[in-house]
Amino acid sequence: MHSILKLRNESGYSLLEALFQLLIMGIFLHFFVLFFYWKLPIERQLQDYYATEWELFAIDLQALLVDVDDFNVHMGNRAITFTNERGKIEVGQSNNVIRKSINNTGYIPLFTNISSVFFNHEGYELNVEVTMLDGWKRERRFAIGFRQE
């Protein structure tokens, strides 16, 4: 019995072994292709995230600019201050964030991952130009709703 266990089949590479290796290679190839099909939507979703953050910033800023008493651009067109029913509001850049402060108490981040911001005030309009850290530029015009007395 012991001599039967020592016998080895040394006839070479079999068809069954070749089919098994092709099967394993096919499975790995499917995973490789599926990875790239998965990667593309994830990259699009990341880009959509930044677009969504920009739109939310635009909605927040436009909501703040309703019923404004006075409006000023300062700090070399890098910040704005205005007064509405909530008090004195300042919106400006600090490091890589556009943030707001109400009555000089704390800061609330409005938009992140920015390199620079430029505010331009003309009459009843505010133009905001933002350069992102990745070099993309975004621009939006906002209507300033001055309170009628």
Side-chain angles (χ1 to χ4, degrees), residues 5-16:
L5 292 176
K6 286 189 173 184
L7 291 177
R8 292 186 181 173
N9 184 4
E10 297 184 17
S11 59
Y13 192 65
S14 70
L15 178 64
L16 187 60

Side-chain angles (χ1 to χ4, degrees), residues 128-147:
V128 179
E129 298 174 16
V130 174
T131 304
M132 306 296 292
L133 288 175
D134 59 5
W136 284 88
K137 294 190 181 217
R138 300 185 189 274
E139 184 175 353
R140 179 73 53 98
R141 288 194 170 274
F142 298 93
I144 303 172
F146 287 104
R147 190 178 304 182

Side-chain angles (χ1 to χ4, degrees), residues 47-64:
Q47 291 171 351
D48 290 346
Y49 171 77
Y50 293 125
T52 303
E53 187 180 9
W54 170 253
E55 292 302 321
L56 289 174
F57 163 73
I59 291 168
D60 286 345
L61 186 58
Q62 185 62 65
L64 288 172

